[in-house]
């Protein structure tokens, strides 16, 4: 059994979200669930699955560079009783095989967990073909699929276990680099669909997901030094969204902010906007995320900076909007 | 093929075609996929009547053969076969294309009704069948996976991705059947996208491939009986779109169309009567 200890958290952080998922969590899942099957499209080694392939060759399927086929094969395995994790880069698993995701996971509700790695801008100089900025928007519109986005490597482990235990299709969106900054330094309860309040008080509430949870905390610290108290809520489950957590925030704060390593169109910001419109509450919402553009490529930090997603930039954007209220 | 079985299967095909025409009539102005349904009648009759292992009283039996109907629009052949073998009642068959019904124009997965797979979007069934076949191999189950595609459907790249993997994983527990009726929406398949010989392509993809008359139940039966060891199987069934109704045969207009009562009468007048007798 996996132990959720601070020492392990530090080790997992070094592996990043993907390394923690496929280098640590899957072994625990294989022990708990004999029907586990992992499917990939020529990204076994890159996904950190070498040890798993060697230890569990009968639980591993590599279909080659054929993502559409990967999702179909996964669905066939799932409907024969397997718990299937299928993985490749997030851009390919959600977009090259988008209709397959809709058909097998959405329509047929096959028990497949698709795990997209390298979501957002982390693919650096590989460029826009490898960035994943539209996936939440696309997958969210498909019925029946739970969408999870861990804040750090520890939450990646928790989400892997929760996805295995969840009966139904799931999309897991992995963000960030190796040496994923730690949001969680000690154990905490994780539940699909239940947001985690990381900083409880403030006139501003920041909803953040994935890699941006850490940056939101850093931005909150910067603003606190300037006398602006900021709440931070980790939205690790994009769908189904924790409506109660958003509703509560509209009663506590005068300004809501969403931060995500995803296009400003259709992702977390859109979810929050839809919720507050539905509630009929008039709280302003500042949506921060990736601009609606294919920009020049660069390293991860450069890419975040180009989209205003570094902590200082987030703090500045929030401060400007807050002062203008 | 034993004579009795052959006659029974031929009779079944006649019954399915009659019932399919009635279903199309009953669907009224909604219309039905007549061309590709009628081309597949003998394939379904042979599979359900003589080849596949299943038990309609236990539709989720682990050892059942799996039929993945990727060519989801051939429901006139599929639903009538399910009806003949106890998966769908006569009353349920009347629900075809009615508002709120589970019998869509493309079959939707429902194991309790013997429907393994949701078809409709082309190129989806073969990858799924490969997954089912891998699961069967690894669990050492003794079942066979049959997957039916259309020749037009083979325009889809996902079909060929899946065929490569079936061959790579040496899935001799899978048989691909191509209902090669040589017509698709926009006309003759060779004019829309000329893919040349499907059989030689399947050979090149590592399949044991047989080409047969897809309206000859004995030829189909014999082809199903000759399964390869260590490689997947394929049967290219040479068929006629709209088979059995003179004014529908070879005509793309009958891919999906409504059938008027007058046309229904004309079509039924052309059908052979069920006078063939088996020895039992």
């Amino acid at each position: 059994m996996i132990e959720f200890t601070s020492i392990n958290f530090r080790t997992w952080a070094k592996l990043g979200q993907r390394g923690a998922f496929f280098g640590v969590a899957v072994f625990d899942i294989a022990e708990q669930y004999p029907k586990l099957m992992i499917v990939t499209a020529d990204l076994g080694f890159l996904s950190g699955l070498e040890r798993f392939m060697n230890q569990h060759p009968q639980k591993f399927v590599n279909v080659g560079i054929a993502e559409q086929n990967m999702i179909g094969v996964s669905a066939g395995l799932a409907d024969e009783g397997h718990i299937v994790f299928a993985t490749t880069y997030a851009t390919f698993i959600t977009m090259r095989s988008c209709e397959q995701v809709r058909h097998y996971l959405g329509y047929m509700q096959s028990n497949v967990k698709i795990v997209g790695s390298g979501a957002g801008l982390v693919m650096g100089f590989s460029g826009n073909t490898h960035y994943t900025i539209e996936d939440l928007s696309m997958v969210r519109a498909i019925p029946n699929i739970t969408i999870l986005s861990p804040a750090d490597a520890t939450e990646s482990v928790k989400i892997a276990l929760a996805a295995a235990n969840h009966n139904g299709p799931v999309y897991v969106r992995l963000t960030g680099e190796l040496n994923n900054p730690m949001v969680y330094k000690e154990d905490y309860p994780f539940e699909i669909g239940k947001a985690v309040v990381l900083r409880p008080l403030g006139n501003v509430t920041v909803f953040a997901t994935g890699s941006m949870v850490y940056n939101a905390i850093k931005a909150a610290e910067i603003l606190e030094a300037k006398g602006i108290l900021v709440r931070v809520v980790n939205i690790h489950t994009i769908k189904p969204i924790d409506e109660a957590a958003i509703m509560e925030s509209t009663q506590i704060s005068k300004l809501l902010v969403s931060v995500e390593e995803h296009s400003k169109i259709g992702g977390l910001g859109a979810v929050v906007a839809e919720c507050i419109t539905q509630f009929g509450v008039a709280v302003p919402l500042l949506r921060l995320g990736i601009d609606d553009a294919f920009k020049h490529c660069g390293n991860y930090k450069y890419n975040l900076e180009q989209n205003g997603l570094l902590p200082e930039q987030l703090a500045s954007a929030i401060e400007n909007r807050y002062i203008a209220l | 093929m034993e004579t009795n079985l052959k006659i029974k299967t031929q009779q079944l095909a006649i019954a399915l075609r009659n019932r399919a025409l009635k279903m199309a009539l009953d669907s009224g102005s909604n219309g039905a996929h007549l061309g590709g349904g009628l081309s597949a009648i003998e394939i379904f009759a042979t599979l359900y009547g003589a080849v596949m292992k299943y038990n309609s009283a236990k539709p989720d039996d682990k050892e059942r053969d799996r039929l993945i109907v990727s060519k989801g629009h051939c429901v006139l052949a599929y639903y009538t076969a399910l009806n003949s073998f106890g998966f769908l009642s006569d009353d349920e068959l009347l629900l075809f294309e009615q508002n709120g019904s589970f019998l869509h124009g493309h079959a939707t997965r429902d194991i309790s009704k013997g429907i393994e797979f949701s078809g409709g979007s082309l190129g989806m069934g073969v990858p799924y069948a490969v997954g089912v076949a891998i699961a069967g191999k690894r669990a050492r189950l003794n079942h066979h996976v049959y997957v039916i595609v259309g020749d037009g459907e083979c325009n889809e790249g996902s079909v060929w991705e899946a065929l490569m993997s079936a061959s790579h994983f040496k899935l001799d527990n899978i048989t691909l059947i191509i209902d090669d009726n040589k017509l698709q929406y926009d006309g003759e398949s060779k004019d829309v996208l000329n893919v040349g010989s499907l059989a030689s392509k399947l050979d090149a993809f590592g399949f044991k491939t047989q080409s047969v008359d897809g309206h000859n139940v004995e030829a189909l039966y014999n082809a199903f009986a000759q399964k390869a060891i260590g490689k997947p199987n394929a049967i290219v069934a040479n068929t006629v779109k709209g088979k059995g109704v003179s004014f529908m045969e070879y005509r793309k207009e009958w891919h999906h169309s409504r059938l008027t009562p007058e046309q229904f009468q004309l079509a039924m007048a052309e059908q052979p009567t069920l006078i063939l007798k088996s020895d039992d």
Side-chain angles (χ1 to χ4, degrees), chain A residues 65-70 96, chain B residues 157-166:
Chain A
I65 309 168
E67 293 79 10
Q68 300 174 72
N69 191 39
M70 172 174 70
R96 170 59 67 91
Chain B
S158 57
V159 170
W160 299 94
E161 286 186 8
L163 297 182
M164 285 189 279
S165 60

Side-chain angles (χ1 to χ4, degrees), chain A residues 35-280:
Chain A
K35 297 289 273 183
L36 172 68
M37 195 73 86
I38 296 184
V39 186
T40 190
D42 196 35
L43 233 55
F45 287 95
L46 197 135
S47 301
L49 281 162
E50 187 174 5
R51 195 158 65 92
F52 186 88
M53 292 186 265
N54 291 332
Q55 281 189 25
H56 300 288
Q58 285 299 305
K59 297 181 190 296
F60 180 77
V61 176
N62 192 343
V63 299
I65 309 168
E67 293 79 10
Q68 300 174 72
N69 191 39
M70 172 174 70
I71 306 298
V73 168
S74 298
L77 289 164
D79 287 350
E80 290 294 317
H82 290 285
I83 295 174
V84 183
F85 285 80
T87 188
T88 181
Y89 289 136
T91 177
F92 305 138
I93 210 163
T94 59
M95 281 186 276
R96 170 59 67 91
S97 48
C98 184
E99 199 203 341
Q100 277 75 14
V101 170
R102 173 184 188 261
H103 189 88
Y104 304 110
L105 277 71
Y107 184 39
M108 293 181 68
Q109 297 184 56
S110 296
N111 191 19
V112 177
K113 330 296 178 182
I114 55 170
V115 185
S117 62
L121 303 166
V122 72
M123 296 300 292
F125 287 100
S126 292
N128 284 290
T129 54
H130 285 56
Y131 300 162
T132 320
I133 63 179
E134 313 92 336
D135 55 323
L136 289 178
S137 175
M138 295 164 71
V139 178
R140 197 165 76 78
I142 301 170
N144 299 323
I145 303 175
T146 297
I147 304 176
L148 305 173
S149 167
D152 66 4
T154 292
E155 196 159 77
S156 181
V157 171
K158 294 221 172 216
I159 276 178
L161 301 178
N165 190 46
H166 176 80
N167 184 25
V170 175
Y171 169 42
V172 181
R173 180 179 209 257
L174 301 180
T175 48
E177 299 177 288
L178 296 173
N179 296 314
N180 217 245
M182 289 169 67
V183 169
Y184 294 101
K185 297 187 175 64
E186 50 197 58
D187 197 15
Y188 69 102
F190 175 91
E191 190 184 329
I192 290 175
K194 187 126 184 59
V196 182
V197 178
L198 296 169
R199 293 172 61 99
L201 297 173
N203 286 330
V204 180
T205 293
V206 178
F207 300 106
T209 191
S211 57
M212 286 299 113
V213 175
Y214 180 82
N215 285 15
I217 293 169
K218 289 288 141 192
E221 289 169 359
I222 294 167
L223 289 167
E224 188 173 12
K226 294 184 170 189
I228 302 171
L229 209 53
V230 175
R231 301 175 75 230
V232 177
V233 181
N234 171 16
I235 307 286
H236 53 64
T237 304
I238 302 293
K239 189 179 180 182
I241 192 69
D242 187 346
E243 289 188 352
I246 293 171
M247 187 65 192
E248 183 190 25
S249 303
T250 65
Q251 292 160 351
I252 297 172
S253 297
K254 291 186 229 165
L255 174 65
L256 304 182
V257 181
S258 61
V259 190
E260 60 198 307
E261 198 180 323
H262 180 275
S263 169
K264 289 173 189 169
I265 296 172
L268 174 61
V271 179
V272 176
E274 287 162 16
C275 281
I276 59 178
T277 310
Q278 192 73 19
F279 300 153

Side-chain angles (χ1 to χ4, degrees), chain B residues 124-183:
Chain B
M124 294 290 184
V126 190
Y128 185 87
V130 169
V132 172
I134 292 173
K137 281 275 177 198
R138 298 209 177 166
R140 300 183 192 285
L141 290 176
N142 184 31
H143 64 58
H144 200 83
V145 182
Y146 298 92
V147 54
I148 300 179
V149 299
D151 59 324
E153 180 176 8
C154 292
N155 296 176
E156 293 281 4
S158 57
V159 170
W160 299 94
E161 286 186 8
L163 297 182
M164 285 189 279
S165 60
S167 185
H168 172 77
F169 291 107
K170 300 182 171 57
L171 299 176
D172 54 11
N173 58 342
I174 199 166
T175 297
L176 173 81
I177 305 114
I178 301 183
D179 178 6
D180 188 10
N181 62 33
K182 300 166 195 67
L183 276 178

Side-chain angles (χ1 to χ4, degrees), chain B residues 86-116:
Chain B
F87 292 100
L88 293 176
S89 69
D90 290 350
D91 287 345
E92 285 172 327
L93 206 57
L94 291 173
L95 297 173
F96 173 58
E97 291 192 348
Q98 301 298 309
N99 286 339
S101 161
F102 71 101
L103 290 186
H104 305 192
H106 299 98
T108 305
R109 176 175 162 86
D110 184 344
I111 294 296
S112 73
K113 303 296 181 193
I115 301 171
E116 300 276 351

